């Protein structure tokens, strides 16, 4: 999944950067990992990029790009930069790992220059719903109850509120879904936990292990052996759905356009039917 998912999301973040018709002298990639955004950018748009991640090994194995980059090992919740430093901050599929998401957003807002922009992507609440449902059904059947085995994700209804509280304005939040097919449940979990994606369950109240019988039952449920309406594809593979939230937020500056005052409109919505005559 990593060879398709992470670069694909990094590319879509880069597309959103290109949509803003300006050059960014200094940019920051928060939770950069191996740097899946930088290869899709150009040095004409981003002149210098700082890549920050808490995993030093990921930074050492960063993907090459044409942009001059500097690697910094640091926590996303405590960025070691002065206020009003960066023209652009980007982040791709790392913010679901932070313990305090509101604080991380405030840190990002603080290091942005006025009129700077934050463009990020993170996993949404419906991510891996096939895996979660299969594990829960199997545990209910074999053990009489279940515990969370996939990390919790933010709901889209909360995301705009969190960004607004952090000080961002002119917000844009949209969602997308990326589906990756695997041979079976075990390959899904191996890809999530192994070297490719490096994902695991961060829930503090999770069970330390899953019984073998439960895992086998979950794999059968996932594939649709028990219930044909479950998730298995006709070719024998199983889908894993990743819901992605893309967000754009700006730091306030006097030059930015402001919404008109309430009651200042000169045309009534009731006159929309007569729009041709008004024009």
């Amino acid at each position: 999944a990593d060879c398709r998912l992470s670069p694909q999301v990094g590319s879509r973040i880069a597309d959103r950067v290109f949509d803003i018709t300006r050059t960014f002298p200094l940019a920051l990639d928060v939770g950069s990992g191996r740097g899946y955004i930088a290869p899709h950018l150009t040095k004409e748009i981003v002149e210098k990029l700082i890549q920050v991640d808490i995993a030093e090994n990921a930074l050492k194995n960063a993907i090459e790009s044409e942009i001059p980059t500097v690697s910094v090992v640091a926590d996303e919740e405590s960025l070691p930069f002065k206020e009003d430093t960066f023209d652009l901050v980007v982040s791709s599929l790392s913010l679901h790992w932070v313990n305090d998401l509101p604080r991380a957003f405030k840190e990002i807002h603080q290091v942005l220059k006025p009129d700077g922009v934050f463009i990020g992507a993170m996993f949404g609440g419906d991510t891996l719903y096939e895996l979660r449902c299969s594990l829960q059904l199997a545990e209910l059947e074999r053990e009489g109850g279940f515990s969370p085995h996939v990390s919790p994700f933010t709901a889209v209804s909360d995301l705009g509120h969190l960004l607004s509280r952090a000080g961002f304005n002119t917000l844009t939040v949209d969602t997308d879904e990326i589906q990756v097919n695997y041979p079976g449940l075990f390959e899904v979990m191996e890809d999530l936990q192994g070297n490719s994606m490096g994902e695991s369950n961060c829930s503090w109240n999770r069970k330390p292990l899953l019984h073998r019988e439960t895992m086998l039952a979950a794999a059968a449920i996932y594939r649709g052996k028990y219930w044909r309406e479950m998730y298995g594809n006709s070719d024998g593979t199983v889908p894993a759905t990743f819901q992605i939230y893309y967000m754009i937020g700006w730091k306030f500056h006097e030059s930015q356009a402001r919404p008109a005052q309430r009651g200042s409109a000169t045309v009534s919505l009731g006159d929309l039917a007569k729009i041709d005559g008004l024009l």
Side-chain angles (χ1 to χ4, degrees):
D2 182 61
C3 63
R4 285 170 284 178
L5 186 66
S6 300
Q8 189 171 351
V9 175
S11 173
R12 295 182 185 187
I13 290 177
D15 287 342
R16 287 162 170 78
V17 175
F18 287 127
D19 287 339
I20 302 170
T21 55
R22 67 168 70 172
T23 298
F24 300 97
L26 184 61
L28 172 68
D29 185 352
V30 175
S32 62
R34 295 187 59 216
Y36 292 101
I37 302 175
H40 302 284
L41 297 170
T42 65
K43 57 187 176 183
E44 287 77 24
I45 298 297
V46 175
E47 295 178 354
K48 185 176 181 180
L49 178 67
I50 310 294
Q51 295 178 318
V52 169
D53 200 280
I54 201 168
E56 184 177 1
N57 191 51
L59 292 172
K60 287 181 178 179
N61 293 283
I63 302 167
E64 290 186 10
S65 71
E66 66 174 62
I67 303 171
T69 61
V70 176
S71 298
V72 177
V73 179
D75 191 339
E76 295 93 334
E77 297 176 46
S78 185
L79 296 175
F81 305 106
K82 294 181 179 179
E83 188 174 355
D84 303 342
T85 298
F86 297 96
D87 306 279
L88 166 71
V89 176
V90 293
S91 179
S92 180
L93 302 183
S94 68
L95 291 174
H96 64 287
W97 271 111
V98 302
N99 295 312
D100 189 345
L101 187 58
R103 178 178 174 180
F105 282 151
K106 287 180 180 178
E107 287 282 309
I108 291 171
H109 183 269
Q110 181 170 304
V111 301
L112 268 175
K113 291 180 179 178
D115 202 33
V117 61
F118 166 55
I119 303 176
M122 63 186 297
F123 289 120
D126 288 338
T127 293
L128 297 173
Y129 70 87
E130 305 99 337
L131 175 63
R132 284 184 288 173
C133 289
S134 299
L135 289 171
Q136 288 174 6
L137 286 171
E139 271 198 297
L140 283 170
E141 178 192 345
R142 298 302 172 94
E143 302 178 37
F146 67 86
S147 65
H149 294 287
V150 178
S151 298
F153 299 111
T154 304
V156 69
S157 56
D158 297 327
L159 197 53
H161 179 61
L162 291 174
L163 289 166
S164 181
R165 279 182 55 191
F168 291 99
N169 58 36
T170 320
L171 299 174
T172 303
V173 178
D174 61 284
T175 68
D176 192 13
E177 285 190 354
I178 299 175
Q179 189 178 94
V180 182
N181 292 323
Y182 291 86
L185 175 141
F186 295 103
E187 287 80 7
V188 175
M189 299 188 71
E190 181 182 3
D191 210 28
L192 291 172
Q193 297 173 344
N195 293 326
S196 60
M197 290 189 71
E199 298 287 344
S200 59
N201 182 10
C202 65
S203 300
W204 68 270
N205 61 338
R206 69 188 187 276
K207 288 176 64 175
L209 58 86
L210 275 165
H211 296 295
R212 181 174 180 274
E213 294 78 10
T214 303
M215 289 292 293
L216 291 172
I221 291 170
Y222 203 154
R223 197 179 295 276
K225 182 177 180 181
Y226 295 157
W227 296 284
R228 290 186 179 178
E229 65 272 17
M230 295 303 280
Y231 311 112
N233 296 320
S234 58
D235 62 358
T237 62
V238 296
T241 299
F242 297 88
Q243 184 181 40
I244 313 296
Y245 296 154
Y246 295 94
M247 62 201 112
I248 301 176
W250 295 79
K251 188 168 182 176
F252 176 75
H253 188 266
E254 291 291 339
S255 65
Q256 293 172 349
R258 303 184 189 183
Q261 291 185 349
R262 290 177 63 88
S264 62
T266 57
V267 178
S268 170
L269 289 175
D271 294 331
L272 287 178
K274 314 170 193 174
I275 190 68
D276 291 335
L278 292 171
L279 291 175

